[in-house]
Each structure stands twice: as C-alpha cells, then as structure tokens.
Amino acid sequence: MNAVILTETHDRVGLIRLNRPEVFNALNDELMNALAAALDAFEADENIGCVVITGSPKAFAAGADIAAMKDWDYMDVYKSNFITRNWERLKTFRKPVIAAVSGLAMGGGCELAMMCDTVFAADSAKFALPEVKLAVIPGAGGTQRMPRAVGKAKAMDLCFTGRFMDAAEAERAGLVSRIYPADQVLDEALAAAAAIAQQSLPVLMMLKESVNRAFESPLNEGLLFERRTLHAAFSLADNKEGIAAFLEKRKPSFSNR
C-alpha cells in the first residue's frame, strides 16, 4: 500500500507531497493524520527552517473525500469532531509553510492551501469552494480565510457559485503570491523556501505570529504585539550577529538562537 504522504528533506527545507493520485489527492482521515505527523516531525527538527507542501501536477488536492462522507449524519460529524480533530495542524505549525499548487485545489484542498503562509501557483492551478453544489458549506476555514484573502465580494461569489478561479485571477485577488509555469512551480517554491530557511528561525517564527495577528485582532492590539515582539528580538544572539554582519559587510551566520 502506497504512503498517502511522502516527505523529503532538502538541506533546511522539508517537502511534503500529498500522495493519493488515484483520487486527485482527496483528503481523508488517513491523509490528514499522516500530514499532521509529518508536520510534527518537521517542527521538532531544528535543522528544518521552512516547509513546502505540494500535490501532483493534476491536483494539489481535490477536496474532502466525498465517498467517505456519503453516509454521515449530524451526530457522526459532531461526536467525532470532524475537521477539528485532525485537519488543523497547519494552523498551529510555527515555521513558515509554502503551498506549491498545481492543477485542482478544490474545497478542502483550497482550504488547505489557505492554511499555508503563502501560495505559489502553477499557471495550471484552479481554486474553488464548490461545497454549495453538495448542499453543504466549507468547513475547514473557507468562509473565513477566503474573505480575508480576497475580500467579501469575491469570497461570496466563489462560495455562492462554486466556480473555478484560475491562477491569474487568484493572484490579482490576493490569494496567490506568485505564479510560475507548471514545470517550474515546485522548484521555485523550494528555492524560495531555501532562501527563507537561511534566515534566523526564531525571527521567522516571530514574523509569522505577528502577521497572523493582523488577521486576528484590532489594529492597536496587533501593533502592540508587533512592538513587544520587536523588543524581544533584541534579546536574540541572531540579532547581534545580523547587525554585526551588516556593519562588517558580510553574510550573517545565524545560530537560530
């Protein structure tokens, strides 16, 4: 039986591949549990500074596994804590994460990409929240993260119609940060991740927390969090090294402390 998640290490970058190609990487409990385990391992590994999550050329992930859901009722999903129990590990992952998206990112797959810190898209990528066509709503953050990414009007459009949004529209709207040809997107994501991972890991984690705070609190509370985090950064050995390297016109050598 093939593993539903494949992992690789590229120097300081961890790569996670969703691997259910026969169902376009549809997300089920087995895959989400394996994804959480892979994230746990990369978070515990002090030699990993950034993670890339990708799928296949045809699909990042085509959503939740509908066949597995067909007989569920309210008590099934409520008592089992569906989604909450094992879909949200990315939300608590502290290191930077890039989604490298090719092909379909539908429903839960689109939501999974939005849980990442930034999205690099192949020119073949298509994003959708088509749950309305099944008489259900997005449940892994689609109605919450999409309006924060693209604004209320476009989020309503996507949720009401279930239509596809191609990579160019997704970039214009703010869901995607970069677009590359399909045969280059993963290499570009890995290259960006490698550059990110060369920075001070504590500072990367501080940056991630601070930017996320912008979406989760009023402006003045976010500014206070940013200011206190800035103050804390001055206690880092990496801060002293970064400043010294700048003044000495050399590349810094961070110890991640």
Side-chain angles (χ1 to χ4, degrees):
M1 184 174 181
N2 292 332
V4 296
I5 289 287
L6 302 175
T7 62
E8 302 171 17
T9 299
H10 298 252
D11 193 17
R12 289 185 52 79
V13 175
L15 174 62
I16 299 175
R17 295 180 187 267
L18 311 182
N19 189 45
R20 298 186 72 209
E22 70 283 358
V23 289
F24 296 95
N25 294 327
L27 309 176
N28 63 2
D29 275 347
E30 182 186 11
L31 188 148
M32 298 311 291
N33 290 336
L35 175 60
L39 290 169
D40 287 344
F42 282 139
E43 188 157 75
D45 188 344
E46 294 186 0
N47 293 315
I48 296 297
C50 189
V51 169
V52 174
I53 299 179
T54 195
S56 69
K58 291 184 178 180
F60 178 72
D65 191 336
I66 303 304
M69 300 164 57
K70 64 182 179 64
D71 295 323
W72 292 353
D73 62 17
Y74 171 77
M75 289 309 299
D76 291 324
V77 294
Y78 181 72
K79 289 176 68 177
S80 68
N81 211 13
F82 176 51
I83 293 177
T84 307
R85 71 175 183 270
N86 59 354
W87 283 56
E88 297 193 311
R89 180 62 180 92
L90 263 176
K91 189 174 74 171
T92 61
F93 189 75
R94 300 180 71 192
K95 298 176 182 180
V97 183
I98 299 173
V101 177
S102 297
L104 301 174
M106 299 171 60
C110 182
E111 291 170 307
L112 184 66
M114 288 192 290
M115 289 183 201
C116 298
D117 298 314
T118 191
V119 179
F120 288 12
D123 51 14
S124 63
K126 294 183 177 181
F127 301 85
L129 294 172
E131 287 86 350
V132 67
K133 297 178 181 181
L134 302 177
V136 72
I137 73 169
T143 66
Q144 304 303 301
R145 291 188 177 93
M146 187 63 82
R148 285 167 166 80
V150 306
K152 177 184 175 182
K154 191 172 287 289
M156 288 290 196
D157 172 14
L158 294 166
C159 288
F160 286 160
T161 65
R163 72 175 179 85
F164 283 110
M165 177 168 61
D166 65 19
E169 182 182 359
E171 185 186 35
R172 289 195 304 270
L175 181 66
V176 164
S177 61
R178 307 188 197 181
I179 300 175
Y180 294 103
D183 61 350
Q184 298 176 24
V185 65
L186 180 56
D187 287 342
E188 294 290 350
L190 289 170
I196 291 168
Q198 294 305 308
Q199 307 305 322
S200 167
L201 182 56
V203 171
L204 292 172
M205 294 162 69
M206 289 175 174
L207 283 167
K208 179 168 179 169
E209 287 184 328
S210 294
V211 174
N212 282 334
R213 186 59 64 101
F215 289 93
E216 298 164 4
S217 60
L219 177 60
N220 281 337
E221 289 300 316
L223 288 170
L224 177 60
F225 184 88
E226 176 189 79
R227 203 65 35 80
R228 294 293 179 257
T229 305
L230 167 67
H231 295 167
F234 280 89
S235 69
L236 296 173
D238 283 347
N239 170 261
K240 305 302 181 285
E241 166 62 12
I243 291 174
F246 177 82
L247 294 175
E248 296 166 13
K249 296 181 172 58
R250 61 175 173 82
K251 184 177 180 180
S253 179
F254 293 126
S255 62
N256 297 314
R257 296 185 181 278

